[in-house]
């Protein structure tokens, strides 16, 4: 029951759809924004309608809890930097009980299938999943096909395998790349699949989001394209409107309720 309540907090409208904004890039790549802009960025993301922000444990201490409001907190437990000899390697730098003491609603870990350290990352995933089960904490797994043996990281069959690894090892929600045919990936997986924002390209982020949602994805986790935007609040609001757009069934229910109340 406690895990169900925490999972419910990860979707502000409680529609089992998710818009997460990862702001953990300061470990992997360097500062997200200058110090004097950090609080404004968090405010913008929350006011825009993000369901959760994702940060490392130390960064949590820089956020006023009152700022988050209805926005959930996910503490990321994996780390690796762009300066490592193997940029696809990830190690655990936090624990589930530590995240709970900081007020986390969920935790996340990163796994690169196909990397030279895949076995270590899978072991770490198993360890975190067991702790999440003990503490009734939702687990978000960022699972990608990355490494020297990966030919096409967006191959649907490969990504179907990747997301099912996350599901089988204990994830509640899995984040991955948008495949060439995402419907195949989503249809294969027993847990909600959300997609990364992807690199900036000729395609708009809104268009990217619509493709993902039309394919049956449960939402998005977009970080870099949000915090580098000149108007992050408006961008998050646009994405939230796409992710949480009413389905035909919910529209019918809303119309029925309106008519019954007349």
């Amino acid at each position: 029951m406690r895990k169900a309540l925490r999972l419910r907090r990860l979707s502000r409208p409680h529609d089992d759809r998710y818009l997460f904004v990862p702001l953990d890039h300061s470990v992997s790549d360097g500062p997200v924004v200058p110090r004097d802009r950090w609080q404004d960025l968090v405010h913008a993301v929350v006011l825009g309608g993000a369901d959760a922000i994702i940060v490392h444990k130390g960064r949590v201490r820089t956020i006023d809890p009152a700022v988050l409001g209805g926005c959930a907190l996910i503490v990321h437990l994996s780390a690796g930097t762009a300066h490592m000899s193997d940029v696809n390697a990830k190690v655990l730098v936090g624990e589930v009980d530590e995240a709970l003491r900081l007020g986390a609603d969920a935790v996340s870990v990163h796994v690169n299938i196909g990397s030279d350290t895949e076995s270590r990352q899978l072991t770490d995933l198993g360890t975190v999943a067991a702790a999440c089960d003990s503490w009734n904490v939702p687990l978000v797994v960022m699972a990608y096909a990355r490494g020297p043996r990966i030919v096409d990281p967006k191959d649907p069959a490969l990504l179907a395998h990747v997301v099912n690894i996350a599901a089988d090892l204990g994830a509640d929600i899995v984040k991955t790349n948008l495949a060439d045919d995402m419907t195949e990936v989503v249809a294969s997986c027993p847990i909600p699949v959300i997609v990364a924002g992807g690199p900036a390209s000729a395609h708009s982020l809104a268009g990217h989001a619509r493709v993902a949602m039309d394919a049956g994805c449960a939402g998005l986790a977009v970080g870099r394209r949000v915090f580098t935007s000149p108007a992050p609040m408006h961008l998050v609001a646009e994405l939230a409107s796409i992710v949480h757009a009413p389905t035909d069934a919910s529209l019918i229910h809303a119309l029925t309720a309106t008519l019954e109340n007349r």
Side-chain angles (χ1 to χ4, degrees):
M1 178 60 74
R2 291 177 182 174
K3 178 180 276 193
L5 290 173
R6 290 184 173 122
L7 276 169
R8 188 171 173 81
R9 263 189 59 80
L10 298 183
S11 175
R12 289 173 85 162
H14 308 310
D15 59 0
D16 298 323
R17 295 183 180 185
Y18 311 94
L19 175 59
F20 299 158
V21 178
L23 299 173
D24 58 302
H25 301 67
S26 46
V27 168
S28 57
D29 301 314
V32 169
V33 290
R35 181 180 63 181
D36 60 357
R37 289 178 50 203
W38 170 250
Q39 296 297 342
D40 289 341
L41 174 62
V42 175
H43 273 277
V45 168
V46 172
L47 290 175
D51 295 294
I53 62 169
I54 303 174
V55 293
H56 282 283
K57 58 185 180 182
R59 190 70 59 166
V60 175
R61 301 185 180 97
T62 70
I63 302 173
D64 180 356
V67 171
L68 292 179
C71 182
L73 173 66
I74 300 174
V75 173
H76 195 45
L77 304 183
S78 300
T81 78
H83 310 291
M84 298 172 67
S85 58
D86 179 4
V87 296
N88 293 315
K90 298 293 177 181
V91 298
L92 288 183
V93 292
E95 298 182 357
V96 175
D97 59 339
E98 188 177 20
L100 281 175
R101 288 195 297 272
L102 291 167
D105 298 287
V107 298
S108 61
V109 295
H110 187 138
V111 175
N112 288 323
I113 301 300
S115 68
D116 288 336
T117 57
E118 177 189 302
S119 59
R120 170 64 184 274
Q121 294 178 48
L122 290 176
T123 300
D124 288 343
L125 170 54
T127 299
V128 172
C132 284
D133 188 56
S134 296
W135 289 100
N136 292 309
V137 175
L139 172 59
V140 179
V141 174
M142 303 178 184
Y144 300 98
R146 291 179 181 170
R149 285 162 292 282
I150 301 300
V151 176
D152 180 4
K154 294 185 178 181
D155 175 66
L158 176 57
L159 284 184
H161 186 190
V162 168
V163 298
N164 275 275
I165 290 170
D168 288 339
L169 296 186
D172 295 289
I173 299 170
V174 57
K175 169 195 173 187
T176 195
N177 283 325
L178 185 68
D180 297 327
D181 179 5
M182 202 65 196
T183 55
E184 178 182 334
V185 179
V186 173
S188 76
C189 191
I191 62 173
V193 177
I194 63 177
V195 297
S201 66
H203 301 291
S204 72
L205 186 52
H208 178 87
R210 291 189 182 94
V211 168
M213 299 308 294
D214 288 345
C217 291
L220 292 90
V222 185
R224 191 181 311 278
R225 295 180 72 176
V226 167
F227 63 73
T228 59
S229 168
M233 183 175 71
H234 292 94
L235 178 56
V236 170
E238 181 180 28
L239 294 175
S241 69
I242 295 169
V243 169
H244 296 293
T247 62
D248 291 342
S250 62
L251 281 172
I252 292 171
H253 177 77
L255 288 171
T256 302
T258 301
L259 290 172
E260 288 176 348
N261 291 328
R262 285 183 176 178

